[in-house]
Amino acid sequence: MLYRSLAPALFLFGALGACTTTQTQRPAPSAQAEQRAPVTILVSIDGFRADYLKRGVTPNLAALASSGIEAPMRPSFPTKTFPNHWAIVTGDRPDRNGIVANNMEDDSRPDEKFTMASDDPFWWNDAEPIWVTAEKAAVRTATMFWPGSNVPWGGTQDKEWPHDIHGGTRPSDWAQFNQQIGGTQRVNMVLDVLRRPAAIRPVFVTLYFDTVDTAGHIHGPDAAETTAALTEVDTHIGELVAGLKAMGQTANIVVVADHGMAARSADRVVALDKVANPADYRIVESGPYASIAAVPGHEKALEAALFKATPHMQCWRKSEIPARFHYGTHRRIPPYFCLGETGWEIQPTTPKGKISGGNHGWDDRAPEMQALFIANGPAFTTGVAAPSDFANVDIYPLIARLIGVTPRPSDGDPAALSRLIRP
Ligand code: AMP
Ligand code: ZN
Ligand code: ZN
């Protein structure tokens, strides 16, 4: 009642004040508005190849780049979605972070397969994501999608009731991945959590967009539809920046991609059944690379076939994958691994129909696989030379520093991007 009767009076006071006081007598805007600490927002645009930025169709990203820092970022191998999103938020490459592929098997769970919908912490527990590092340090986090962010990290599955997970840590606010939730809605959900009172407002937020990757797969990296998807996601970046500005919320925004995209074609296929005898092997994954297990007792025959020179493809025992890939020690990696030359796919058989569109998963140093990186905000220095040849695992220590938590030791180099941050 008291509030009701006072409200019009306060409004009137404000209105009269505006008419009658001089500018110097008005309270300074900073005294009226709450002083908000900068928030750190990690945005992933799935499949945003580093050079897409040069197409001139993403003005909001270009503005963040020109008033911040922009450089191509090297993904981790294999250049797939789940291994790389987990590498970015854990600082560990797939060989150590446990998400070695989008589809996995594990001898300790012979009846199960990991797919992109698997949220049993068993698959994820090898490496701690930044939101868990933060939550443990009482730094509040929120995720508007990110692979693994729906997992009760560190939890264990009930032996009798596999759907029950005991323990584990999630971001304070998280959402189950759903492609039906559009870009504007995702941005609004981020803005909404930032409108909360300081006590329940996150310090670190993730935001994820998938439409550029989807368009790149269906239409290919050079298609008009993919260019249109760049513009569409860029408008959501614009909505985010405008929304933050409207609420007076400063932000350190780090925009990344998980990998790039290369065109595929029926003219660039290695059919595995023409290289080796299908009676000797079982394919776990195929595409830009193939991961393969031998039929027990057929190892010698399979090795003889895989290790002879085959154009556009190279195969190794997992223990002999060249060191620069940092890949081959994890138990979830199948015993044999073949990598296609960039743009060449390894398929079980010769494809019957047309193959078009794009894919990723190739060599992490291929120009087509390089990923977007933009950093913008009050914590970043401007006018420094762009970082060169840095890996996506270096993002984890960067984010940890931005949000004031101590990073776990990881594959990420805390020095790699430290000069981007104001002393
Ligand atoms: P890919 O291109 O096969 O490496 O995977 C990209 C796809 O992963 C995207 O198009 C999304 O549909 C899907 N995806 C992204 N995040 C999630 C998630 N958290 N859970 C399930 N699927 C996801
Ligand atoms: Zn991806
Ligand atoms: Zn993809």
Side-chain angles (χ1 to χ4, degrees):
M1 201 58 191
L2 178 69
Y3 172 78
R4 257 208 222 153
S5 57
L6 270 179
L10 281 173
F11 173 76
L12 242 178
F13 177 77
L16 281 175
C19 298
T20 55
T21 54
T22 64
Q23 225 159 12
T24 46
Q25 286 168 317
R26 256 189 256 156
S30 58
Q32 290 174 326
E34 178 209 337
Q35 282 292 322
R36 285 168 162 266
V39 62
T40 295
I41 307 179
L42 177 63
V43 183
S44 164
I45 308 178
D46 199 311
F48 196 117
R49 199 166 84 179
D51 67 353
Y52 283 170
L53 206 53
K54 294 187 191 141
R55 292 195 183 171
V57 297
T58 51
N60 294 299
L61 286 169
L64 287 180
S66 66
S67 61
I69 301 141
E70 180 259 315
M73 178 170 76
R74 181 156 32 85
S76 296
F77 189 77
T79 53
K80 290 280 188 182
T81 297
F82 273 55
N84 274 283
H85 276 92
W86 206 232
I88 290 166
V89 295
T90 63
D92 281 345
R93 297 187 186 95
D95 206 30
R96 279 190 357 138
N97 75 28
I99 306 297
V100 302
N102 280 348
N103 301 283
M104 299 188 283
E105 299 174 352
D106 189 314
D107 284 347
S108 62
R109 294 265 184 109
D111 300 329
E112 274 182 49
K113 284 191 194 319
F114 174 91
T115 69
M116 294 193 282
S118 302
D119 55 8
D120 180 342
F122 164 78
W123 296 100
W124 302 86
N125 280 348
D126 283 13
E128 181 180 287
I130 186 71
W131 52 80
V132 173
T133 315
E135 295 279 346
K136 282 182 179 171
V139 171
R140 193 176 171 109
T141 67
T143 48
M144 188 57 240
F145 302 154
W146 194 280
S149 61
N150 56 339
V151 174
W153 190 86
T156 47
Q157 195 183 45
D158 190 278
K159 288 205 166 48
E160 274 180 57
W161 305 99
H163 292 294
D164 283 353
I165 304 293
H166 301 291
T169 305
R170 288 181 170 114
S172 290
D173 295 279
W174 59 278
Q176 188 65 37
F177 180 66
N178 182 348
Q179 275 186 305
Q180 300 302 310
I181 296 179
T184 300
Q185 196 179 346
R186 297 181 196 193
V187 168
N188 285 337
M189 286 163 117
V190 168
L191 295 173
D192 284 346
V193 289
L194 294 174
R195 275 190 198 99
R196 291 178 181 172
I200 55 163
R201 187 191 305 153
V203 169
F204 170 70
V205 185
T206 72
L207 173 61
Y208 168 82
F209 299 104
D210 42 351
T211 48
V212 168
D213 180 72
T214 306
H217 280 296
I218 298 172
H219 304 288
D222 302 318
E225 291 89 342
T226 303
T227 303
L230 301 177
T231 304
E232 182 249 323
V233 170
D234 188 71
T235 61
H236 302 312
I237 300 293
E239 291 163 355
L240 175 68
V241 171
L244 292 168
K245 192 172 172 201
M247 75 171 85
Q249 174 66 65
T250 53
N252 293 309
I253 303 177
V254 178
V255 189
V256 297
D258 49 350
H259 50 70
M261 187 67 67
R264 58 203 288 265
S265 160
D267 303 334
R268 295 193 299 272
V269 171
V270 178
L272 210 53
D273 65 339
K274 305 288 181 301
V275 175
N277 180 353
D280 292 336
Y281 63 86
R282 179 175 68 84
I283 298 177
V284 178
E285 282 194 302
S286 60
Y289 65 81
S291 56
I292 301 164
V295 171
H298 294 229
E299 289 81 2
K300 287 274 165 300
L302 178 62
E303 291 187 6
L306 294 184
F307 297 161
K308 69 179 191 294
T310 300
H312 313 296
M313 173 179 95
Q314 205 175 351
C315 302
W316 304 277
R317 280 182 205 100
K318 67 184 274 192
S319 59
E320 288 163 4
I321 297 173
R324 71 182 184 82
F325 292 113
H326 301 282
Y327 194 69
T329 66
H330 201 285
R331 68 181 185 282
R332 291 175 188 159
I333 300 172
Y336 299 97
F337 191 88
C338 300
L339 177 62
E341 188 182 321
T342 304
W344 284 77
E345 285 193 337
I346 304 165
Q347 297 287 355
T349 56
T350 306
K352 298 219 161 46
K354 189 172 171 285
I355 290 188
S356 59
N359 212 346
H360 51 87
W362 287 288
D363 191 330
D364 55 293
R365 289 178 194 266
E368 298 91 329
M369 295 298 106
Q370 302 311 296
L372 177 73
F373 169 82
I374 297 173
N376 185 296
F380 295 103
T381 49
T382 44
V384 290
S388 64
D389 199 33
F390 71 101
N392 65 359
V393 289
D394 300 330
I395 299 288
Y396 169 81
L398 175 80
I399 299 285
R401 187 153 162 205
L402 290 172
I403 64 176
V405 302
T406 307
R408 268 182 326 105
S410 72
D411 290 332
D413 176 5
L417 299 172
S418 62
R419 70 185 175 80
L420 304 187
I421 297 188
R422 273 181 212 281

